[in-house]
Amino acid sequence: MYNFLQKFHSGWAYLALLLLLVAVVNAIIGVTSKKEFTAKDRKIALFALIGTHTQLLIGLILYFVSPLGKAAFGQMSNAELRLTSLEHPLINLIAIILITIGWSKHKKLINSEAKFKTFAIFYGLGLLLILSRIPWNLWF
């Protein structure tokens, strides 16, 4: 089960990152072109939200069923173990919280530009945080 979850978490990450990138680019285009916020724009942001939350759920399950989980916890002197046991989960959790805040804030806004700006800022910060803590050596 662990191997399946690990591969699924790695594979789903590509989809989640793609969805998040599309949402951020769409929001930036929306702000710069001053276009009207439509249902299509809402769905793009919603799919990115769902993709990242699914990735979080898979990651949390993986974190607790991992054979390295308890052994790696507290190993702060080893940079690789620190990344996978502390930095990656913590920073990505913060990133997904920011994405969720962006989704929640957009619902209260009426102005299209403000909605796009909210998505650009919160989803963009989330994307940057996620990209900063991906264990790239395990991907390539």
Side-chain angles (χ1 to χ4, degrees):
M1 178 172 163
Y2 169 73
N3 288 330
F4 170 76
L5 282 174
Q6 188 177 31
K7 296 216 182 313
F8 188 57
H9 184 64
S10 294
W12 189 266
Y14 290 107
L15 179 61
L17 283 172
L18 178 64
L19 290 168
L20 193 53
L21 181 65
V22 168
V24 170
V25 169
N26 183 60
I28 292 170
I29 290 171
V31 168
T32 57
S33 68
K34 304 216 185 292
K35 71 177 195 162
E36 196 64 33
F37 190 83
T38 65
K40 178 188 74 102
D41 300 312
R42 188 186 66 76
K43 287 177 187 172
I44 289 171
L46 178 62
F47 288 146
L49 178 81
I50 292 169
T52 55
H53 277 83
T54 303
Q55 182 69 355
L56 173 66
L57 181 62
I58 298 163
L60 287 173
I61 294 168
L62 183 62
Y63 188 78
F64 290 108
V65 300
S66 169
L68 290 175
K70 290 180 183 162
F73 198 74
Q75 299 289 330
M76 297 301 116
S77 59
N78 183 328
E80 230 175 88
L81 286 176
R82 185 179 62 240
L83 174 66
T84 55
S85 70
L86 177 69
E87 294 172 1
H88 176 75
L90 180 63
I91 297 299
N92 287 338
L93 180 62
I94 293 168
I96 293 171
I97 289 169
L98 285 171
I99 292 166
T100 306
I101 290 170
W103 175 260
S104 296
K105 286 179 83 62
H106 107 276
K107 293 190 281 185
K108 297 172 186 160
L109 300 171
I110 298 169
N111 184 340
S112 291
E113 185 179 0
K115 287 184 181 211
F116 281 125
K117 200 177 284 188
T118 299
F119 282 130
I121 292 169
F122 285 94
Y123 279 44
L125 286 173
L127 178 62
L128 287 175
L129 286 175
I130 290 169
L131 290 174
S132 76
R133 291 297 124 207
I134 290 177
W136 295 105
N137 61 332
L138 299 176
W139 270 26
F140 300 107

